[in-house]
Amino acid sequence: MMSRFGVLRCIFVMAALVLMLPSAQAQELSFTLIEQLVIGDDEDSPAEYLFTFPELVRTDSRGYIYVHDRRRSDIRVFDESGQYVTTVGRRGEGPGEMREIDGMHVDARDRLIVADRHSKRFTIFSNLGAHFETKTFADDLPSGPHPILSLEDSFVLKYVRMYDDPERKLPYITDTKTLHHYDMALNPTEAFAELGEIFNLDEPFEKESSDSRSALKMATNGIDKIVLVPRVYSGYAYRYTHDGGSWTMEKLEGGPVPKDSYMSVRDKEFRANPELQKSSISMSGPFGLLRARIFNWSLGVVILGSGEIVNFTMQTPLREDPSDRIELSHRVELFNPAGTLSGYGPLHFDDQRLNRSQEIMSTIDILWIDEDDRLYVRRRNQHGFYVLSVTELAIGRP
């Protein structure tokens, strides 16, 4: 006979897995990542080709690929065939040097802009590092921008908001706007995108996680539109459009997704279950230590040249037995230029060996899209090393 606890648990599991159904207009599609180039896949290659954790990727007008590796204080540059070209910058605190890179971007002039949290300054490199200039952060912010993206004759930077400290022991700020519009000289002009529009700040976990530098996935069309998707994905994307001198927000409904995007986890359960740890986030802050199991993640969002929005997700469904192995499910949502969900479906690589490996598929992150709609994807390889995969996205339509 099932205990009362068991009955309640089953009811909770069923409730957590109820899907928020998509619009009736949405079609079932298929999405395939066709790998064209992989950098860092050969462990016997020179050190310039190997990564610890490729974190930031950008491309320029020549097809050069700029990569920041998390444990380094420089930027490596590869050509479009994956051949190493040069390294820009180095570790240090002097001119042209960086200590803690928070943001990196290549603008329409092929200038490499690097934000260093430690020195609180931008370094703007030109001609692959042959020349550079520096500019101090305009605001006394406790962290650098992540990411930096180009708009038409301007930039948009995402800053992490911090909680107010009444005793002023830490340089916390109270600004709840997460996006900051800058001119071409990297001077701030306005701030927008209230976190309260995106997160339920009355929920301790959401309020705590909203301060994470990875809390939001972000994309732009490079002109007048920005899309934000929470990493803990509840089925909504947020599109901001610059029109008539101001920014307006639209809430775009995706799906199908679990009704609940996360569930609080007790510390005892977390420590006792390695499978639970793989699908959970731990946050520490003013509310203490908070842990939550995530049912739906956004792995990245991009805007195609057609104006369509593509959101990549990974679902980790709740199992009745917490010791069960978690089987991941990768799904993609396609929004038309009007912002309506037009299709959704599973995500695969064209190489079936990758699809069969949970260890590889669980590490996918979409880092960048270039002007030719090529996607730059971080993943592990069969040896457990992180690589950078350059892919074409094929969408199977009815």
Side-chain angles (χ1 to χ4, degrees):
M1 178 179 295
M2 186 177 290
S3 67
R4 170 187 274 183
F5 176 77
V7 172
L8 291 175
R9 182 171 190 165
C10 286
I11 292 172
F12 178 80
V13 170
M14 292 173 65
L17 293 179
V18 171
L19 295 180
M20 184 179 72
L21 297 178
S23 165
Q25 299 176 1
Q27 302 174 344
E28 289 203 34
L29 307 173
S30 63
F31 299 83
T32 304
L33 293 172
I34 303 172
E35 289 196 319
Q36 301 176 335
L37 172 68
V38 180
I39 305 175
D41 204 25
D42 184 359
E43 57 184 298
D44 295 324
S45 295
E48 290 84 1
Y49 290 87
L50 302 178
F51 302 115
T52 300
F53 190 79
E55 185 173 34
L56 300 170
V57 174
R58 292 292 187 270
T59 52
D60 69 11
S61 63
R62 297 160 291 190
Y64 283 4
I65 305 167
Y66 298 71
V67 185
H68 166 57
D69 202 1
R70 177 176 288 179
R71 295 188 180 180
R72 294 174 62 116
S73 299
D74 54 29
I75 308 296
R76 276 177 280 175
V77 185
F78 303 86
D79 67 17
E80 57 185 354
S81 66
Q83 295 299 306
Y84 171 76
V85 176
T86 189
T87 296
V88 179
R90 62 183 181 182
R91 183 174 182 80
E93 299 181 22
E97 298 175 339
M98 287 83 67
R99 286 284 300 276
E100 297 179 66
I101 296 176
D102 246 10
M104 181 264 288
H105 185 61
V106 178
D107 69 6
R109 306 177 192 173
D110 287 342
R111 299 185 306 169
L112 171 63
I113 301 169
V114 182
D116 181 7
R117 176 172 57 182
H118 179 84
S119 64
K120 298 185 181 299
R121 71 185 179 199
F122 298 102
T123 302
I124 302 99
F125 296 95
S126 57
N127 297 325
L128 295 177
H131 308 284
F132 65 86
E133 57 182 306
T134 60
K135 183 176 180 62
T136 303
F137 287 173
D139 302 305
D140 185 20
L141 295 167
S143 64
H146 180 84
I148 305 168
L149 295 173
S150 291
L151 296 176
E152 193 170 35
D153 298 324
S154 62
F155 299 101
V156 63
L157 290 66
K158 182 175 78 65
Y159 281 101
V160 175
R161 180 183 65 87
M162 305 297 288
Y163 293 108
D164 184 31
D165 178 17
E167 298 182 4
R168 309 304 297 173
K169 294 180 180 179
L170 294 172
Y172 286 179
I173 59 174
T174 57
D175 184 10
T176 59
K177 297 181 178 66
T178 191
L179 297 182
H180 295 247
H181 201 181
Y182 276 53
D183 63 21
M184 292 300 290
L186 291 171
N187 297 310
T189 58
E190 62 178 323
F192 61 102
E194 289 278 355
L195 285 179
E197 297 175 340
I198 303 168
F199 298 96
N200 180 1
L201 300 182
D202 293 328
E203 289 291 333
F205 174 76
E206 288 197 46
K207 186 170 185 178
E208 196 70 60
S209 63
S210 71
D211 282 345
S212 166
R213 70 194 295 264
S214 60
L216 290 166
K217 302 295 183 177
M218 180 173 167
T220 179
N221 66 350
I223 303 173
D224 61 350
K225 288 183 172 56
I226 298 163
V227 175
L228 297 178
V229 179
R231 179 175 61 148
V232 181
Y233 181 55
S234 62
Y236 294 98
Y238 301 83
R239 182 169 66 180
Y240 295 83
T241 301
H242 196 249
D243 184 26
S246 62
W247 292 91
T248 58
M249 188 270 282
E250 304 165 85
K251 190 174 181 179
L252 312 181
E253 183 174 345
V257 299
K259 183 179 179 181
D260 295 319
S261 55
Y262 67 91
M263 175 189 72
S264 297
V265 174
R266 289 178 296 185
D267 187 63
K268 184 177 180 180
E269 287 182 294
F270 178 85
R271 294 182 182 279
N273 187 353
E275 287 298 319
L276 187 60
Q277 295 169 18
K278 294 178 183 179
S279 61
S280 299
I281 293 178
S282 299
M283 307 295 300
S284 182
F287 298 101
L289 180 63
L290 301 173
R291 302 191 194 277
R293 181 169 188 174
I294 312 303
F295 301 131
N296 206 31
W297 311 73
S298 173
L299 306 177
V301 61
V302 300
I303 301 178
L304 303 178
S306 63
E308 294 172 298
I309 301 167
V310 187
N311 180 38
F312 298 83
T313 72
M314 179 176 69
Q315 295 181 4
T316 54
L318 180 67
R319 300 299 186 194
E320 188 172 335
D321 184 347
S323 65
D324 283 350
R325 179 177 173 82
I326 296 171
E327 296 295 333
L328 304 175
S329 173
H330 291 79
R331 298 183 68 83
V332 181
E333 299 171 338
L334 181 69
F335 298 85
N336 63 27
T340 302
L341 182 71
S342 60
Y344 61 92
L347 175 68
H348 302 289
F349 281 93
D350 59 326
D351 186 340
Q352 292 302 318
R353 293 173 299 175
L354 302 180
N355 298 324
R356 289 192 292 266
S357 173
Q358 286 285 308
E359 286 70 24
I360 291 175
M361 296 298 290
S362 65
T363 60
I364 294 174
D365 272 296
I366 312 300
L367 301 181
W368 182 243
I369 184 172
D370 65 20
E371 292 184 352
D372 296 315
D373 283 353
R374 285 186 294 258
L375 299 177
Y376 295 75
V377 181
R378 178 180 61 225
R379 66 167 177 84
R380 288 189 187 271
N381 65 8
Q382 65 272 24
H383 304 296
F385 297 105
Y386 277 103
V387 300
L388 180 64
S389 169
V390 183
T391 70
E392 176 185 339
L393 179 64
I395 303 176
R397 305 175 189 262

